[in-house]
Amino acid sequence: MAVPKRRVSKTRAAKRRTHYKLTLPKPVKDSDGTWRMPHHMNPTTGEYNNTPRA
């Protein structure tokens, strides 16, 4: 069983945790020039992935 030989310092643990951060979602520009969030329907045309809503 893997057991650490020494205690991990606060600095070393904090360095490891610096990569745990949230990323903001990036809006996508549609063919008609409007912006929308990814994986969402276009509010003006009702299209999703450049296909009309059925």
Side-chain angles (χ1 to χ4, degrees):
M1 190 162 105
V3 178
K5 199 167 215 95
R6 295 176 186 271
R7 182 177 186 267
V8 177
S9 69
K10 294 176 199 170
T11 305
R12 187 173 288 270
K15 283 181 190 174
R16 186 176 59 244
R17 291 190 195 108
T18 60
H19 304 292
Y20 300 156
K21 52 188 145 194
L22 293 173
T23 57
L24 293 173
K26 309 241 183 316
V28 179
K29 193 169 191 177
D30 278 333
S31 57
D32 64 340
T34 58
W35 291 89
R36 64 174 176 84
M37 296 310 288
H39 303 284
H40 282 72
M41 179 178 99
N42 185 333
T44 55
T45 61
E47 291 182 348
Y48 181 79
N49 200 15
N50 293 332
T51 55
R53 189 172 180 206

